[in-house]
Amino acid sequence: MEVDRYERIWLIGSAVFILTAVGAIVASVVFHTAELPEPAGRIEPELVTQTAPFDEPGLHQRDDGTWELVYVAQAWAWDPVEVTIPAEARGEEIKILSTTRDVIHGLKITGTNVNVMVIPGQISEVDVTFDEAGRHTLVCHEYCG
């Protein structure tokens, strides 16, 4: 069967593009340790506001000196609405714990590595370090309403 010269060029180009894309995905998984996060725990969605640490959302310094930021998502809102990271926490790793009592939400903080799904009945956990002062917007990338 005879294949037209231009069709052969497009077929070869498409194959090279697909193999390059697959290679990039494999490289990101192998060399950058990209992985899907495991749930940090389970929680009854109806009891979120009564279960520690979600009964007191916000930034807290724990007894061992580490920092923990607790978020609770709900339709059209996050609790707390605004968080100020103190100067002494700058450069320190902050553990973000989040959950929701209603529907699936997405937690993305611009300018950081934070991008996680927040699912009812599940505790999502991610670590972040804020090295410099600045404003970081929390973006919910899932339609909840």
Side-chain angles (χ1 to χ4, degrees), residues 98-145:
S98 57
T99 193
T100 179
R101 55 182 161 244
D102 51 16
V103 297
I104 294 176
H105 299 272
L107 178 109
K108 177 172 176 44
I109 300 177
T110 59
T112 70
N113 65 333
V114 176
N115 186 354
V116 67
M117 298 297 295
V118 182
I119 301 170
Q122 176 177 303
I123 299 171
S124 299
E125 180 181 309
V126 65
D127 297 324
V128 64
T129 302
F130 296 98
D131 293 320
E132 298 177 8
R135 285 185 85 84
H136 297 278
T137 304
L138 187 150
V139 179
C140 185
H141 52 73
E142 288 292 326
Y143 181 72
C144 67

Side-chain angles (χ1 to χ4, degrees), residues 13-31:
S14 297
V16 167
F17 178 78
I18 290 170
L19 290 173
T20 302
V22 169
I25 291 170
V26 169
S28 71
V29 170
V30 172
F31 298 113

